[in-house]
Structures are given as C-alpha cells and as structure tokens.
Amino acid sequence: MAPTAAEQHTRKAVGLAARDASGHLSPLAITRRSTGDDDVVIKILYCGICHSDLHSIKNDWKSAKYPMVPGHEITGEVNEVGKNVTKFKTGDRVGVGCMVNSCQSCESCNKGFENLCLGIIPTYNLVDLDGTITYGGYSSMVVVHERFVVRFPDTIPLEKGAPLLCAGITVYSPMKYHGLNIPGMHLGVLGLGGLGHVAVKFGKAFGMKVTVISSSPGKKQEALERLGADAFIVSKNDEEMKAAMSTMDGIINTVSANIPMAPLLGLLKPNGKMIMVGLPEKSMEIPPFALVATNKTLAGSLIGGMRDTQEMLDLAAKHNVTADIEVIGAEYVNTAMERLAKADVRYRFVIDIGNTLDKAAATTTE
C-alpha cells in the first residue's frame, strides 16, 4: 500500500518504548513530524532518567498511553531548523525539558509561564496539537517548536547538564519566586536524591547556608564533603531536629514519601516557607496550627517556564552547577529502572543515546 501524504512527510526514528504496565523498555520504530516553519530538529545525544519516567511506564498515575517512549531531560545538537526559526542554527547545542508545546496565547504563556498553561503538552505520553502522541527523549531524534528549546552553554557537558532540564528547573524556579535565593539566608533541603542534590548546589550558588534534612545518616559525609552543604540533620533524630527548630528561612521539600509534616514545619522561622516539589502518592495531613501559629507558608511548584529554564542553565554555567550522574548505554535501561526503584543511583542515570541506541536497536527486530 502506498504511503499517505502525511506519512511521506514524517521522519523515521527509533525509541525505547514500554508496551504495557510491566514497564519493560525495548526498541520501537517511531515517526516524528516533518519540520514545521517554527520547528527545531534535534539529534538526541543524551537523555536523563527521571523518577517520573519510572512511574509513567508502570502506569502508576493511571494515565499511560502505550506504546510509551519516556524521557524529558533531552540534550543534543540541532540538525535542521524551520524557516521562521531565529534563535537556533544547525550544529547548536540544545536541550528540551518537560514540555514541548502549550497554547502559547493564554495569560500564563504570555507571562513566560508555559508550565502553568492549561493546554501544556508534556514531552511524552499526551496528544500534541497535531493529533500525534508525544514521544520522549529515549529516542534518536525529536522535532520541537522553537519556543520549547533551550540553548546549552558551552561550559556545561551535555550529559551532566541533561538532568537540569527537569531536576534543575524544578528546584530553581521555587527558589527564585519564593525569595529563597538571597545570600546569607538559611535554606533547608529535604531529601538528598536527584532533586535534592541539585537544590544543594543551587543554594550554594546563591550564597546561602544550606542544611540537608534526610532520613539516611549514611548520606551525611557526601552531603557535607562532596556537595558542599553546611550542615546535615537526620530527620529521625529528635535531638538534632530539636536543635534546628525555628532556624530556617525556607525548605525545598523534594521527598515523594508520606512523612509527618509538623516536625519539618517546626524547622522554619516565623514567616518561613516550605515549597513542595516532590509528589507523595497519598494525601498529606497538615496540622493547621503548625502553619497558622507562626505565619508559615506551604506551597507547591511545578517545573518552570522556558525563560526561567534558560536563565537557570546560564546561572548553572556561571557557577559550575551540574548533576552528579551515571552514564549508561541504551541496553542497560531496564536494569537502570530496577535500580532506580531501589534508589540505587547517585544521583541520576543518563542514557548515552548517541553512541548506544542504534546498536541496541540493531540487536532487536520488532
């Protein structure tokens, strides 16, 4: 059968896809749309593995659309641009984060907060405006509207910078908009994982005193000596928690587990703020008195807009902020997911797409 006009203008690519809720990933031939006037065609070189990728392929959030190609921490180089594109040219080092489109006309979009648009199109697992299912960065290439592409500073290695496109902007944005970026302030970082370790680095880049709050005593040395935190509190140690009461201006809460909130809110000074960026599976119980008595704020934050994402990368380049990563080949991705489920990574897996995906695909015929 002859291809349709639409099929003649699509691009062939290969991705690592989950077919069902088992979450097992294997090569799949996919198509990308042809280059639109406002599009940037990107050869993907690296893609970070976010914990939300694991939730998505397992259908933990009951919204999976299979086959699913995950990945929203994408870095690579520009292969082609549409005729209206002005910010990028062939050969540029670029990145794509958690979204690839929005309505581009609402109040949020017009203010640079595309992440808050009701019509946001995530990088994978949703229907795009052209009716196609979005496929993520565990793939050989991607076609993205210019607005949702960021320029990568030359001083940041693509592999170490890839996680900043999710983890970086996720912690940077609330620090900026909640005033937790002022030198000399005391910032608490709750949880030392993919998000937390980047929050520590940005806190220090802002000139803040940073205290890590963790349930794992074994992370103390790494937090202090390797990541540069000023102090470390074991959240299960009542004496350490009591000594730190009312000392912090703000806390970035990166934890996705359901934990008692009152003791953590007690660490805040009067008028202090806790910003949640982790997503616990169950509803939280918040004692009203823990907020009201000393005028504290509990807020949430979801990634950030494109302008802030570029700003975050530029600041990261200035202060040498990158993610701590373990680079893996495409053939290792299922093992990496098993390890991620056990929190067995320091602190982010990054797939070497450019050097290993084609080889992994060649060993599988589907």
Side-chain angles (χ1 to χ4, degrees):
M1 181 180 296
T4 66
E7 291 171 335
Q8 288 176 335
H9 292 89
T10 57
R11 296 170 176 269
K12 293 181 179 180
V14 62
L16 296 173
R19 273 69 166 188
D20 53 45
S22 71
H24 183 81
L25 295 159
S26 58
L28 175 71
I30 62 174
T31 58
R32 299 292 194 180
R33 69 171 181 261
S34 60
T35 310
D37 292 345
D38 301 305
D39 283 340
V40 178
V41 180
I42 301 167
K43 176 183 178 182
I44 299 175
L45 298 178
Y46 296 97
C47 187
I49 297 180
C50 177
H51 210 286
S52 61
D53 296 344
L54 179 60
H55 285 299
S56 295
I57 62 176
K58 295 282 191 179
N59 198 24
D60 291 340
W61 295 328
K62 309 306 178 186
S63 60
K65 295 176 176 60
Y66 299 109
M68 181 192 304
V69 177
H72 56 210
E73 299 177 349
I74 302 166
T75 59
E77 62 183 31
V78 176
N79 267 3
E80 183 184 340
V81 298
K83 66 179 183 180
N84 294 339
V85 173
T86 59
K87 295 192 296 183
F88 304 100
K89 63 182 186 304
T90 301
D92 283 351
R93 304 165 81 246
V94 294
V96 177
C98 300
M99 53 187 166
V100 292
N101 217 335
S102 69
C103 80
Q104 302 190 40
S105 60
C106 67
E107 182 179 3
S108 292
C109 287
N110 289 336
K111 289 182 177 180
F113 299 114
E114 299 92 344
N115 56 308
L116 304 181
C117 174
L118 296 179
I120 184 175
I121 304 296
T123 305
Y124 66 89
N125 196 46
L126 202 72
V127 179
D128 205 344
L129 300 181
D130 63 0
T132 61
I133 300 293
T134 55
Y135 291 130
Y138 297 13
S139 56
S140 54
M141 55 88 67
V142 67
V143 183
V144 183
H145 190 286
E146 175 185 31
R147 180 169 180 161
F148 298 91
V149 180
V150 290
R151 182 180 303 280
F152 241 77
D154 291 337
T155 56
I156 299 183
L158 292 177
E159 65 274 24
K160 291 185 177 181
L164 298 181
L165 296 166
C166 174
I169 187 60
T170 294
V171 299
Y172 175 87
S173 182
M175 293 170 77
K176 174 182 177 180
Y177 288 102
H178 289 277
L180 301 178
N181 59 352
I182 299 173
M185 270 192 169
H186 187 184
L187 177 71
V189 176
L190 179 60
L192 193 63
L195 295 174
H197 90 287
V198 177
V200 172
K201 294 185 179 186
F202 273 118
K204 296 308 298 179
F206 287 131
M208 306 177 76
K209 176 184 177 181
V210 179
T211 295
V212 172
I213 309 153
S214 173
S215 62
S216 304
K219 293 184 177 181
K220 181 175 182 178
Q221 182 176 357
E222 187 161 1
L224 300 177
E225 297 180 6
R226 185 156 162 239
L227 298 176
D230 299 285
F232 186 94
I233 296 173
V234 178
S235 58
K236 297 178 181 178
N237 186 310
D238 292 340
E239 291 185 5
E240 292 185 12
M241 291 288 286
K242 184 177 180 180
M245 292 282 284
S246 301
T247 63
M248 300 178 188
D249 296 287
I251 295 173
I252 300 294
N253 182 348
T254 72
V255 174
S256 293
N258 288 87
I259 54 179
M261 293 295 289
L264 298 167
L265 291 168
L267 299 175
L268 293 170
K269 297 176 182 178
N271 298 305
K273 301 176 180 181
M274 177 185 286
I275 316 301
M276 293 192 61
V277 294
L279 292 171
E281 292 183 9
K282 299 178 181 179
S283 298
M284 299 167 52
E285 291 188 8
I286 310 295
F289 194 80
L291 292 175
V292 174
T294 46
N295 201 32
K296 293 170 184 174
T297 299
L298 177 63
S301 182
L302 175 70
I303 54 174
M306 296 312 302
R307 181 175 59 219
D308 288 324
T309 303
Q310 187 66 65
E311 180 182 281
M312 176 274 302
L313 284 176
D314 294 340
L315 183 79
K318 180 179 179 181
H319 293 280
N320 194 30
V321 174
T322 58
D324 290 6
I325 64 170
E326 180 178 335
V327 177
I328 64 169
E331 74 287 347
Y332 189 78
V333 66
N334 289 300
T335 301
M337 288 296 184
E338 293 173 3
R339 287 178 54 192
L340 179 60
K342 302 173 185 176
D344 179 22
V345 58
R346 294 291 182 271
Y347 283 97
R348 208 62 150 196
F349 288 116
V350 175
I351 308 170
D352 183 352
I353 296 290
N355 290 315
T356 68
L357 180 58
D358 285 345
K359 182 179 179 180
T363 63
T364 305
T365 56
E366 298 199 55

